[in-house]
Amino acid sequence: KAGVTQTPRYLIKTRGQQVTLSCSPISGHRSVSWYQQTPGQGLQFLFEYFSETQRNKGNFPGRFSGRQFSNSRSEMNVSTLELGDSALYLCASSQAMGQGYGYTFGSGTRLTVV
Amino acid sequence: TQLLEQSPQFLSIQEGENLTVYCNSSSVFSSLQWYRQEPGEGPVLLVTVVTGGEVKKLKRLTFQFGDARKDSSLHITAAQPGDTGLYLCAGARGKLIFGQGTELSVKP
């Protein structure tokens, strides 16, 4: 059974540019969440999608956006990149939303903004 | 302000020692999960606890959910170098909220 696939694994972008990250969940998983991980802030919740609808959103500026497609694949977009956006971006999938459902994480996309 | 406080933040012990990691909050969670993350990889789910007072065992790892569902602990017996990694607790309140993590290093 394939795991959660995130592409690309590494990315270097220039300040001001925009970036799109991709996440393919485990087959049958309909919930996809995105997290930003930095040494100082740890894992911070960005948003969660279920059945193509954003169900929860974290405290990030509007430059961070996402979407989910009918096949549950998800993309995350960051516009007007800032140096502080450098982080490991993790995607996690789950069978459904709600308590008790564990999340399976991908290996992440390491974004460096220069 | 961190909703979930983990302690200690760093732990360096010798192989064979026991250790406990704590995850505390003033808020109630519907469930709490523990993950382990290795460098360059995403977190891997170890366990989910749902009921207050619940205890779950995974080989040498024992997880406990507080009676009031506000705190949890992870106890490792006879730690091995393979246990080295970042241990994260995460509480479910509509979304998953993570603690800052405990960096564990087990030396042979």
Side-chain angles (χ1 to χ4, degrees):
Chain A
K1 188 175 182 181
V4 177
T5 303
Q6 289 189 249
T7 56
R9 281 299 306 268
Y10 302 93
L11 206 49
I12 300 176
K13 288 286 188 178
T14 304
R15 194 170 45 181
Q17 286 186 312
Q18 74 156 14
V19 66
T20 299
L21 311 182
S22 179
C23 172
S24 293
I26 288 175
S27 178
H29 283 195
R30 296 169 63 190
S31 170
V32 174
S33 301
W34 288 89
Y35 291 84
Q36 181 195 67
Q37 187 174 30
T38 58
Q41 298 297 317
L43 270 151
Q44 301 284 311
F45 173 78
L46 280 156
F47 24 67
E48 180 170 20
Y49 286 87
F50 183 80
S51 295
E52 302 178 65
T53 303
Q54 189 180 92
R55 306 291 178 156
N56 275 305
K57 190 177 189 306
N59 296 323
F60 278 82
R63 300 186 296 107
F64 292 80
S65 63
R67 59 178 176 169
Q68 186 181 34
F69 302 96
S70 58
N71 61 357
S72 293
R73 190 178 71 87
S74 178
E75 286 182 348
M76 191 193 103
N77 185 275
V78 188
S79 63
T80 320
L81 284 165
E82 300 177 359
L83 296 179
D85 296 333
S86 294
L88 180 66
Y89 289 88
L90 292 160
C91 162
S93 76
S94 178
Q95 288 181 321
M97 296 177 61
Q99 72 172 43
Y101 287 100
Y103 288 80
T104 302
F105 281 82
S107 296
T109 294
R110 171 73 62 185
L111 172 65
T112 302
V113 182
V114 298
Chain B
T1 305
Q2 201 71 19
L3 200 56
L4 270 173
E5 297 285 344
Q6 272 188 251
S7 62
Q9 276 191 285
F10 301 96
L11 196 52
S12 181
I13 61 173
Q14 293 296 127
E15 182 176 1
E17 291 184 16
N18 301 331
L19 66 113
T20 302
V21 176
Y22 299 94
C23 180
N24 295 301
S25 176
S26 56
S27 302
V28 175
F29 291 97
S30 57
S31 68
L32 203 135
Q33 300 173 0
W34 285 90
Y35 291 81
R36 178 168 164 262
Q37 184 178 22
E38 296 191 42
E41 296 298 327
V44 175
L45 178 66
L46 296 173
V47 77
T48 299
V49 285
V50 178
T51 307
E54 184 176 1
V55 176
K56 280 192 174 179
K57 292 193 174 187
L58 188 67
K59 296 183 181 178
R60 294 177 293 101
L61 278 61
T62 301
F63 304 85
Q64 184 160 8
F65 201 13
D67 291 340
R69 290 186 292 132
K70 292 182 180 181
D71 54 86
S72 181
S73 64
L74 156 61
H75 182 79
I76 301 179
T77 304
Q80 299 176 1
D83 295 327
T84 293
L86 178 67
Y87 288 82
L88 296 154
C89 66
R93 294 189 79 207
K95 58 190 178 187
L96 209 55
I97 300 167
F98 280 84
Q100 286 285 68
T102 294
E103 192 77 54
L104 172 65
S105 173
V106 183
K107 295 177 172 25

mmCIF file of all heavy atoms in Angstrom, chain A residues 52-73:
data_model
loop_
_atom_site.group_PDB
_atom_site.id
_atom_site.type_symbol
_atom_site.label_atom_id
_atom_site.label_comp_id
_atom_site.label_asym_id
_atom_site.label_seq_id
_atom_site.Cartn_x
_atom_site.Cartn_y
_atom_site.Cartn_z
ATOM 1 N N GLU A 52 -12.978 17.805 -0.933
ATOM 2 C CA GLU A 52 -12.722 19.011 -1.737
ATOM 3 C C GLU A 52 -13.083 20.315 -1.041
ATOM 4 O O GLU A 52 -13.044 21.384 -1.670
ATOM 5 C CB GLU A 52 -13.466 18.925 -3.082
ATOM 6 C CG GLU A 52 -13.083 17.703 -3.916
ATOM 7 C CD GLU A 52 -13.878 17.624 -5.212
ATOM 8 O OE1 GLU A 52 -13.705 18.514 -6.062
ATOM 9 O OE2 GLU A 52 -14.672 16.667 -5.366
ATOM 10 N N THR A 53 -13.418 20.263 0.236
ATOM 11 C CA THR A 53 -13.794 21.468 0.973
ATOM 12 C C THR A 53 -12.831 21.707 2.125
ATOM 13 O O THR A 53 -12.458 20.774 2.834
ATOM 14 C CB THR A 53 -15.226 21.336 1.540
ATOM 15 O OG1 THR A 53 -16.125 21.081 0.467
ATOM 16 C CG2 THR A 53 -15.645 22.596 2.278
ATOM 17 N N GLN A 54 -12.437 22.956 2.306
ATOM 18 C CA GLN A 54 -11.580 23.287 3.439
ATOM 19 C C GLN A 54 -12.419 23.246 4.704
ATOM 20 O O GLN A 54 -13.377 24.008 4.853
ATOM 21 C CB GLN A 54 -10.963 24.679 3.260
ATOM 22 C CG GLN A 54 -9.897 24.996 4.307
ATOM 23 C CD GLN A 54 -9.291 26.381 4.107
ATOM 24 O OE1 GLN A 54 -9.744 27.364 4.676
ATOM 25 N NE2 GLN A 54 -8.264 26.452 3.284
ATOM 26 N N ARG A 55 -12.035 22.395 5.665
ATOM 27 C CA ARG A 55 -12.829 22.209 6.887
ATOM 28 C C ARG A 55 -12.258 22.962 8.068
ATOM 29 O O ARG A 55 -12.985 23.312 8.987
ATOM 30 C CB ARG A 55 -12.896 20.718 7.235
ATOM 31 C CG ARG A 55 -13.400 19.853 6.109
ATOM 32 C CD ARG A 55 -14.870 20.066 5.805
ATOM 33 N NE ARG A 55 -15.337 19.265 4.699
ATOM 34 C CZ ARG A 55 -16.609 18.912 4.514
ATOM 35 N NH1 ARG A 55 -17.539 19.311 5.378
ATOM 36 N NH2 ARG A 55 -16.962 18.179 3.466
ATOM 37 N N ASN A 56 -10.944 23.153 8.071
ATOM 38 C CA ASN A 56 -10.287 23.856 9.171
ATOM 39 C C ASN A 56 -9.144 24.666 8.613
ATOM 40 O O ASN A 56 -8.526 24.274 7.619
ATOM 41 C CB ASN A 56 -9.713 22.863 10.203
ATOM 42 C CG ASN A 56 -10.739 22.443 11.216
ATOM 43 O OD1 ASN A 56 -11.366 23.260 11.888
ATOM 44 N ND2 ASN A 56 -10.929 21.136 11.339
ATOM 45 N N LYS A 57 -8.866 25.780 9.288
ATOM 46 C CA LYS A 57 -7.764 26.621 8.828
ATOM 47 C C LYS A 57 -6.989 27.106 10.040
ATOM 48 O O LYS A 57 -7.565 27.451 11.083
ATOM 49 C CB LYS A 57 -8.320 27.816 8.058
ATOM 50 C CG LYS A 57 -7.262 28.630 7.326
ATOM 51 C CD LYS A 57 -7.924 29.746 6.528
ATOM 52 C CE LYS A 57 -6.931 30.453 5.617
ATOM 53 N NZ LYS A 57 -5.741 30.964 6.299
ATOM 54 N N GLY A 58 -5.660 27.131 9.911
ATOM 55 C CA GLY A 58 -4.808 27.623 10.978
ATOM 56 C C GLY A 58 -4.597 29.124 10.856
ATOM 57 O O GLY A 58 -5.205 29.792 10.027
ATOM 58 N N ASN A 59 -3.713 29.645 11.705
ATOM 59 C CA ASN A 59 -3.475 31.089 11.755
ATOM 60 C C ASN A 59 -2.317 31.496 10.859
ATOM 61 O O ASN A 59 -1.265 31.922 11.329
ATOM 62 C CB ASN A 59 -3.198 31.525 13.195
ATOM 63 C CG ASN A 59 -4.383 31.297 14.093
ATOM 64 O OD1 ASN A 59 -5.522 31.475 13.676
ATOM 65 N ND2 ASN A 59 -4.128 30.859 15.313
ATOM 66 N N PHE A 60 -2.510 31.350 9.594
ATOM 67 C CA PHE A 60 -1.510 31.747 8.615
ATOM 68 C C PHE A 60 -2.108 32.823 7.714
ATOM 69 O O PHE A 60 -3.316 32.866 7.497
ATOM 70 C CB PHE A 60 -1.061 30.540 7.783
ATOM 71 C CG PHE A 60 -0.021 29.697 8.465
ATOM 72 C CD1 PHE A 60 -0.389 28.752 9.402
ATOM 73 C CD2 PHE A 60 1.325 29.864 8.178
ATOM 74 C CE1 PHE A 60 0.564 27.979 10.056
ATOM 75 C CE2 PHE A 60 2.290 29.094 8.812
ATOM 76 C CZ PHE A 60 1.909 28.158 9.756
ATOM 77 N N PRO A 61 -1.239 33.690 7.156
ATOM 78 C CA PRO A 61 -1.763 34.755 6.277
ATOM 79 C C PRO A 61 -2.374 34.181 5.009
ATOM 80 O O PRO A 61 -2.153 33.024 4.649
ATOM 81 C CB PRO A 61 -0.519 35.599 5.971
ATOM 82 C CG PRO A 61 0.654 34.729 6.295
ATOM 83 C CD PRO A 61 0.212 33.803 7.368
ATOM 84 N N GLY A 62 -3.118 35.039 4.320
ATOM 85 C CA GLY A 62 -3.813 34.630 3.108
ATOM 86 C C GLY A 62 -2.894 34.212 1.972
ATOM 87 O O GLY A 62 -3.359 33.650 0.977
ATOM 88 N N ARG A 63 -1.588 34.479 2.136
ATOM 89 C CA ARG A 63 -0.631 34.038 1.087
ATOM 90 C C ARG A 63 -0.577 32.519 0.996
ATOM 91 O O ARG A 63 -0.126 31.972 -0.004
ATOM 92 C CB ARG A 63 0.782 34.557 1.418
ATOM 93 C CG ARG A 63 0.921 36.046 1.512
ATOM 94 C CD ARG A 63 2.366 36.456 1.704
ATOM 95 N NE ARG A 63 2.933 35.986 2.971
ATOM 96 C CZ ARG A 63 3.817 35.001 3.072
ATOM 97 N NH1 ARG A 63 4.241 34.364 1.985
ATOM 98 N NH2 ARG A 63 4.302 34.656 4.252
ATOM 99 N N PHE A 64 -1.015 31.875 2.055
ATOM 100 C CA PHE A 64 -1.034 30.410 2.084
ATOM 101 C C PHE A 64 -2.437 29.939 1.696
ATOM 102 O O PHE A 64 -3.425 30.317 2.332
ATOM 103 C CB PHE A 64 -0.687 29.891 3.477
ATOM 104 C CG PHE A 64 0.725 30.145 3.891
ATOM 105 C CD1 PHE A 64 1.115 31.384 4.370
ATOM 106 C CD2 PHE A 64 1.679 29.141 3.792
ATOM 107 C CE1 PHE A 64 2.435 31.618 4.747
ATOM 108 C CE2 PHE A 64 2.998 29.363 4.171
ATOM 109 C CZ PHE A 64 3.367 30.603 4.649
ATOM 110 N N SER A 65 -2.517 29.144 0.669
ATOM 111 C CA SER A 65 -3.815 28.639 0.237
ATOM 112 C C SER A 65 -3.676 27.195 -0.204
ATOM 113 O O SER A 65 -2.557 26.702 -0.414
ATOM 114 C CB SER A 65 -4.368 29.477 -0.917
ATOM 115 O OG SER A 65 -3.517 29.388 -2.047
ATOM 116 N N GLY A 66 -4.776 26.533 -0.342
ATOM 117 C CA GLY A 66 -4.731 25.143 -0.763
ATOM 118 C C GLY A 66 -5.985 24.745 -1.491
ATOM 119 O O GLY A 66 -6.943 25.539 -1.596
ATOM 120 N N ARG A 67 -5.980 23.564 -1.992
ATOM 121 C CA ARG A 67 -7.181 23.008 -2.599
ATOM 122 C C ARG A 67 -7.070 21.502 -2.627
ATOM 123 O O ARG A 67 -5.968 20.946 -2.523
ATOM 124 C CB ARG A 67 -7.405 23.563 -3.998
ATOM 125 C CG ARG A 67 -6.284 23.303 -4.993
ATOM 126 C CD ARG A 67 -6.662 23.856 -6.349
ATOM 127 N NE ARG A 67 -5.575 23.713 -7.323
ATOM 128 C CZ ARG A 67 -5.742 23.920 -8.625
ATOM 129 N NH1 ARG A 67 -6.920 24.259 -9.111
ATOM 130 N NH2 ARG A 67 -4.709 23.787 -9.448
ATOM 131 N N GLN A 68 -8.220 20.857 -2.782
ATOM 132 C CA GLN A 68 -8.245 19.402 -2.884
ATOM 133 C C GLN A 68 -9.070 19.030 -4.093
ATOM 134 O O GLN A 68 -10.125 19.624 -4.355
ATOM 135 C CB GLN A 68 -8.844 18.766 -1.626
ATOM 136 C CG GLN A 68 -8.771 17.240 -1.619
ATOM 137 C CD GLN A 68 -9.386 16.629 -0.373
ATOM 138 O OE1 GLN A 68 -10.358 17.143 0.159
ATOM 139 N NE2 GLN A 68 -8.815 15.526 0.086
ATOM 140 N N PHE A 69 -8.601 18.041 -4.813
ATOM 141 C CA PHE A 69 -9.266 17.608 -6.032
ATOM 142 C C PHE A 69 -10.195 16.429 -5.755
ATOM 143 O O PHE A 69 -10.178 15.852 -4.663
ATOM 144 C CB PHE A 69 -8.216 17.245 -7.088
ATOM 145 C CG PHE A 69 -7.278 18.385 -7.407
ATOM 146 C CD1 PHE A 69 -6.048 18.482 -6.780
ATOM 147 C CD2 PHE A 69 -7.649 19.366 -8.321
ATOM 148 C CE1 PHE A 69 -5.195 19.541 -7.060
ATOM 149 C CE2 PHE A 69 -6.796 20.419 -8.603
ATOM 150 C CZ PHE A 69 -5.570 20.512 -7.962
ATOM 151 N N SER A 70 -10.982 16.062 -6.762
ATOM 152 C CA SER A 70 -11.969 14.993 -6.580
ATOM 153 C C SER A 70 -11.327 13.647 -6.265
ATOM 154 O O SER A 70 -11.955 12.768 -5.672
ATOM 155 C CB SER A 70 -12.864 14.878 -7.817
ATOM 156 O OG SER A 70 -12.081 14.625 -8.959
ATOM 157 N N ASN A 71 -10.056 13.462 -6.649
ATOM 158 C CA ASN A 71 -9.361 12.201 -6.336
ATOM 159 C C ASN A 71 -8.631 12.291 -4.992
ATOM 160 O O ASN A 71 -7.807 11.434 -4.684
ATOM 161 C CB ASN A 71 -8.372 11.847 -7.448
ATOM 162 C CG ASN A 71 -7.287 12.889 -7.636
ATOM 163 O OD1 ASN A 71 -7.298 13.927 -6.957
ATOM 164 N ND2 ASN A 71 -6.367 12.641 -8.549
ATOM 165 N N SER A 72 -8.935 13.316 -4.210
ATOM 166 C CA SER A 72 -8.373 13.578 -2.872
ATOM 167 C C SER A 72 -6.957 14.142 -2.885
ATOM 168 O O SER A 72 -6.459 14.543 -1.839
ATOM 169 C CB SER A 72 -8.408 12.324 -1.972
ATOM 170 O OG SER A 72 -9.741 11.995 -1.683
ATOM 171 N N ARG A 73 -6.325 14.186 -4.043
ATOM 172 C CA ARG A 73 -5.003 14.814 -4.106
ATOM 173 C C ARG A 73 -5.138 16.288 -3.721
ATOM 174 O O ARG A 73 -6.187 16.916 -3.946
ATOM 175 C CB ARG A 73 -4.424 14.680 -5.504
ATOM 176 C CG ARG A 73 -2.950 15.093 -5.608
ATOM 177 C CD ARG A 73 -2.418 14.876 -7.029
ATOM 178 N NE ARG A 73 -2.983 15.834 -7.980
ATOM 179 C CZ ARG A 73 -2.465 17.030 -8.196
ATOM 180 N NH1 ARG A 73 -1.410 17.443 -7.521
ATOM 181 N NH2 ARG A 73 -3.027 17.830 -9.090
#
